């Protein structure tokens, strides 16, 4: 089981007609997909998703363009610059994350292991740190 946020390299099928990549349940990604959503048409300078999830795991791919995913694991912050459609960022539960620095026409695809649940969000950073500490205890 993956406990750390990490980049996962996806298969890339080179083809002179155009390249192809994919991910399948529990093969390339370490969880069962339940939902896919995407973020697009982001105006310059905007920031998405400053929050953590109590249970949700995610997998984020820059299908087009580029953006930064800044994660905080309760101790330190780390920036992942996403700009290839054959790399995804796995994020386990209880990681604070925000996405910024979106390029024009960028497209962020996010796979999740559960359906949308507003009660799974932690939107207060101090509450996140408390829950994160309890997880490690
Ligand atoms: P939210 O996750 O808060 O956006 P971000 O974290 O990227 O800033 O979602 C924004 C709104 O969209 C919020 O009202 C909930 C709604 N939403 C859904 O209805 N279903 C979904 O799958 C997602 C991700 C969001």
């Amino acid at each position: 089981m993956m406990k750390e946020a990490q980049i996962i390299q996806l298969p890339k099928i080179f083809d002179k007609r155009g390249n192809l990549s994919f991910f399948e349940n529990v093969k390339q990604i370490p969880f069962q997909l339940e939902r896919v959503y995407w973020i697009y048409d982001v105006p310059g300078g905007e920031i998405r998703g400053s929050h953590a999830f109590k249970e949700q795991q995610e997998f984020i791919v820059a299908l087009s363009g580029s953006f930064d995913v800044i994660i905080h694991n309760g101790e330190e912050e780390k920036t992942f610059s996403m700009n290839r459609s054959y790399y995804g960022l796995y994020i386990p539960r209880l990681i604070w994350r925000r996405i910024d620095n979106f390029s024009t026409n960028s497209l962020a695809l996010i796979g999740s292991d559960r359906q949308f649940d507003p009660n799974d969000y932690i939107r207060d950073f101090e509450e996140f740190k408390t829950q994160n500490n309890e997880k490690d205890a």
Side-chain angles (χ1 to χ4, degrees):
M1 208 180 108
M2 290 189 191
K3 291 213 167 83
E4 301 285 326
Q6 58 195 272
I7 294 288
I8 295 174
Q9 185 166 359
L10 298 171
K12 183 174 184 184
I13 315 292
F14 289 93
D15 195 310
K16 57 180 185 296
R17 299 169 300 162
N19 299 328
L20 182 152
S21 291
F22 58 88
F23 54 93
E24 292 179 298
N25 276 336
V26 212
K27 291 184 182 163
Q28 287 77 26
I29 57 169
F31 59 81
Q32 194 82 25
L33 262 183
E34 191 63 36
R35 175 169 51 117
V36 175
Y37 63 96
W38 47 100
I39 298 173
Y40 55 100
D41 289 350
V42 179
E46 284 294 347
I47 297 173
R48 301 282 323 210
S50 290
H51 50 65
F53 294 108
K54 294 174 196 163
E55 298 296 338
Q56 181 175 301
Q57 305 172 66
E58 301 181 312
F59 185 63
I60 303 179
V61 183
L63 281 189
S64 176
S66 62
F67 50 80
D68 293 336
V69 184
I70 300 99
I71 62 153
H72 201 297
N73 64 6
E75 285 168 14
E76 56 184 9
E77 196 173 84
K78 204 168 171 181
T79 299
F80 292 90
S81 292
M82 309 300 296
N83 55 18
R84 294 280 183 269
S85 52
Y86 52 90
Y87 283 117
L89 176 62
Y90 168 68
I91 305 184
R93 65 186 280 261
L94 284 176
I95 296 284
W96 188 267
R97 63 115 169 119
R98 70 173 199 273
I99 313 176
D100 69 13
N101 204 18
F102 289 90
S103 70
T104 305
N105 289 330
S106 58
L107 172 56
L109 181 81
I110 305 176
S112 153
D113 68 341
R114 59 201 60 225
Q115 299 206 354
F116 175 68
D117 176 6
N119 296 319
D120 196 48
Y121 283 70
I122 307 171
R123 295 192 180 274
D124 180 81
F125 190 69
E126 292 307 314
E127 189 194 333
F128 154 70
K129 284 208 288 195
T130 304
Q131 291 212 24
N132 190 279
N133 281 336
E134 285 168 1
K135 176 190 76 171
D136 295 335

